[in-house]
Amino acid sequence: MAVFVNGVIFDGIDTSAQDCWKLEAYVARGGYQALRRIIESKMAQEDVIAEVKNSGLRGRGGAGFPTGLKWSFMPRSFPGDKYVVCNTDEGEPGTFKDRDILRFNPHALIEGMIIAGYAMGTKAGYNYIHGEIFEEYELFEAALDEARQAGFLGKNILGSDFSFDLFAHHGYGAYICGEETALLESLEGKKGQPRFKPPFPASFGLYGKPTTINNTESFASVPFIIRDGAQKFLEAGKPNNGGTKLFSVSGHVNRPGNYEIPLGTPFSVLLEMAGGMRDGKKLKAVIPGGSSAPILPGDVMMQCTMDYDSIAKAGSMLGSGAVIVMNEDVCMVKALERLAYFYHEESCGQCTPCREGTGWLYKVIHRIANGEGRPGDLELLDSVGNNMAGRTICALADAAVFPVRSFTKHFRNEFEYLIEHKKPLVDHKWC
Ligand code: SF4
């Protein structure tokens, strides 16, 4: 898959340059100036948090929760250990942006995490990296070494009394470890299964200590905010949707890859950047925010701008920014079958509605896709979904139900046709 990264968080990186990830290249782009500024000016912790709040930065991992507000939940005066944790467990189908931050701009993430550590009064941080990416993990370790040797990490950073160290942790590739409490369990060396909440990680996180978890892209956005100002970041996007965002565009486009664009950019512009529809085919549908976001018909999507509010208004979620583009040759039953299989495979099995429900969803969709659907199967999918959503420990069950509901809502005729005629309405071609 071709990768076209335009900026990777405002830096305008030439990603074809072999050493663009190195410390020297990062410093030449203005890297570590933000850290120097807060340390040399002895900036108050609450002022750093206020700057992040004012930037309008919303969590880039999926939920879109305001990052500065999350930082403010950390009990800074807590006397014991506290942690910042980065979630690079990027496993959502369609999402491949965070690995490119590690690959092309790891020091932006490192600097962002150090600033987070400073702002929240923590001495240690961890970056949990998805177990199926190896080169990026090694590269991040190398970048950590560079930062330590340059005095940006470790004891008495830049001669101050602030000490902070950062460690990389390689996961094992389970999708569920992207759920923040499963990630913490895994980081502690246990089976990666979500915890009951409350308590939330801000009060009971890693090793039972206060912990703030953010996505890779969220942390990597912070150096720009501190260096160039919250206002500049905010203005790059639109109200309530500050800054730029990386979008992973995949599917039936001519140039799949990562694109960094201001939030609020029309979807039609992003599609054009990705080279338009492959082979001149018609746009049928788009999943705008990773596989758990409801699918939208192409004509609805063409009216949207790429930001949290516009996509929510259209009935979906911006999520992680994974934009999966489908052309007229996609059979929606087949496409949903693939997604349902994924969630069934990735359920951790703790909750009965999720463990059994994801299996039921897959079995019913599979039989419809294979011409063995029965009258009443769509109602059965509804009923199973209703017994799953909102009834489990984590949101994986909901994530499995959202695609089922949206596919059967927007493309119901394809499901009904297949059940009735035992053959698909659309002659499915993946490529
Ligand atoms: Fe595990 Fe599913 Fe329950 Fe989440 S909802 S804890 S993935 S069984």
Side-chain angles (χ1 to χ4, degrees):
M1 179 179 286
V3 176
F4 295 84
V5 183
N6 298 330
V8 190
I9 323 299
F10 275 84
D11 275 343
I13 297 175
D14 174 7
T15 52
S16 63
Q18 211 183 351
D19 290 341
C20 66
W21 65 273
K22 289 198 165 177
L23 178 66
E24 194 183 345
Y26 183 63
V27 170
R29 296 194 296 268
Y32 289 107
Q33 281 179 16
L35 180 64
R36 272 189 197 284
R37 178 174 303 166
I38 63 168
I39 285 183
E40 286 170 9
S41 68
K42 296 190 169 58
M43 198 167 168
Q45 291 174 327
E46 51 270 33
D47 290 345
V48 178
I49 294 174
E51 196 70 358
V52 176
K53 266 188 193 168
N54 294 340
S55 73
L57 174 64
R58 292 172 65 169
R60 302 300 199 227
F65 191 80
T67 303
L69 187 60
K70 195 181 225 188
W71 288 16
S72 71
F73 296 155
M74 176 70 102
R76 293 200 306 279
S77 57
F78 182 81
D81 292 332
K82 305 184 275 291
Y83 300 100
V84 289
V85 173
C86 178
N87 185 347
T88 310
D89 190 52
E90 184 174 57
E92 177 94 341
T95 313
F96 47 87
K97 65 184 179 66
D98 293 337
R99 67 189 64 183
D100 272 0
I101 293 174
L102 263 52
R103 185 185 290 152
F104 298 123
N105 203 9
H107 283 286
L109 168 60
I110 294 170
E111 187 182 6
M113 289 192 72
I114 301 169
I115 293 170
Y118 178 96
M120 289 180 272
T122 72
K123 290 193 167 27
Y126 293 88
N127 183 16
Y128 187 99
I129 299 173
H130 192 68
E132 289 160 321
I133 58 171
F134 298 94
E135 195 187 326
E136 293 83 351
Y137 173 77
E138 305 273 326
L139 207 140
F140 186 72
E141 287 274 31
L144 284 177
D145 281 346
E146 283 189 315
R148 274 189 206 107
Q149 280 169 26
F152 294 122
L153 275 177
K155 283 201 185 332
N156 304 112
I157 292 173
L158 298 172
S160 70
D161 57 4
F162 168 56
S163 300
F164 180 83
D165 214 340
L166 183 52
F167 306 93
H169 181 92
H170 212 185
Y172 212 72
Y175 172 68
I176 195 58
C177 289
E179 196 279 342
E180 59 182 14
T181 57
L183 183 154
L184 294 175
E185 289 287 295
S186 174
L187 199 49
E188 290 178 5
K190 301 177 199 154
K191 195 170 172 181
Q193 289 186 318
R195 298 175 181 167
F196 278 103
K197 293 184 283 274
F200 293 96
S203 58
F204 189 90
L206 186 63
Y207 306 116
K209 305 293 182 186
T211 302
T212 297
I213 307 168
N214 283 131
N215 165 258
T216 315
E217 189 184 348
S218 307
F219 279 126
S221 301
V222 168
F224 179 90
I225 292 166
I226 302 297
R227 189 188 67 204
D228 287 37
Q231 195 60 25
K232 194 165 174 189
F233 185 86
L234 186 64
E235 285 168 3
K238 62 184 255 197
N240 200 35
N241 295 265
T244 61
K245 163 116 193 63
L246 283 168
F247 288 95
S248 307
V249 185
S250 65
H252 298 124
V253 292
N254 281 308
R255 286 197 300 273
N258 283 318
Y259 295 87
E260 184 175 10
I261 53 171
L263 285 170
T265 302
F267 168 72
S268 57
V269 172
L270 179 62
L271 185 60
E272 205 172 301
M273 288 170 81
M277 295 301 293
R278 202 192 304 164
D279 301 328
K281 295 270 183 182
K282 204 172 148 216
L283 174 67
K284 180 172 185 177
V286 178
I287 300 177
S291 61
S292 44
I295 195 168
L296 293 174
D299 56 340
V300 173
M301 200 61 207
M302 289 301 272
Q303 306 303 315
C304 290
T305 54
M306 298 308 293
D307 57 80
Y308 299 94
D309 298 339
S310 175
I311 299 292
K313 201 169 159 203
S316 187
M317 303 182 295
L318 196 70
S320 56
V323 180
I324 304 171
V325 178
M326 300 185 197
N327 72 17
E328 58 196 305
D329 290 337
V330 173
C331 166
M332 287 299 158
V333 187
K334 269 280 175 206
L336 182 61
E337 181 192 19
R338 188 75 190 79
L339 293 180
Y341 180 74
F342 173 80
Y343 289 107
H344 174 45
E345 274 293 301
E346 297 294 339
S347 167
C348 85
Q350 273 191 108
C351 323
T352 307
C354 175
R355 184 184 63 241
E356 301 302 322
T358 52
W360 270 99
L361 292 179
Y362 172 65
K363 274 182 220 158
V364 174
I365 296 162
H366 177 72
R367 79 179 176 219
I368 299 174
N370 285 280
E372 293 162 3
R374 304 169 193 165
D377 270 356
L378 293 179
E379 291 70 26
L380 181 57
L381 288 175
D382 267 351
S383 159
V384 173
N386 291 340
N387 282 298
M388 293 169 65
R391 294 168 190 260
T392 53
I393 295 172
C394 87
L396 188 142
D398 300 59
V401 172
F402 290 156
V404 176
R405 284 182 180 161
S406 61
F407 273 71
T408 54
K409 173 182 166 196
H410 293 300
F411 302 98
R412 197 167 190 87
N413 61 328
E414 291 190 36
F415 288 82
E416 288 172 344
Y417 188 95
L418 229 161
I419 291 170
E420 190 182 339
H421 299 278
K422 312 293 180 202
K423 61 177 186 183
L425 185 60
V426 176
D427 186 15
H428 183 75
K429 300 183 193 81
W430 281 118
C431 300

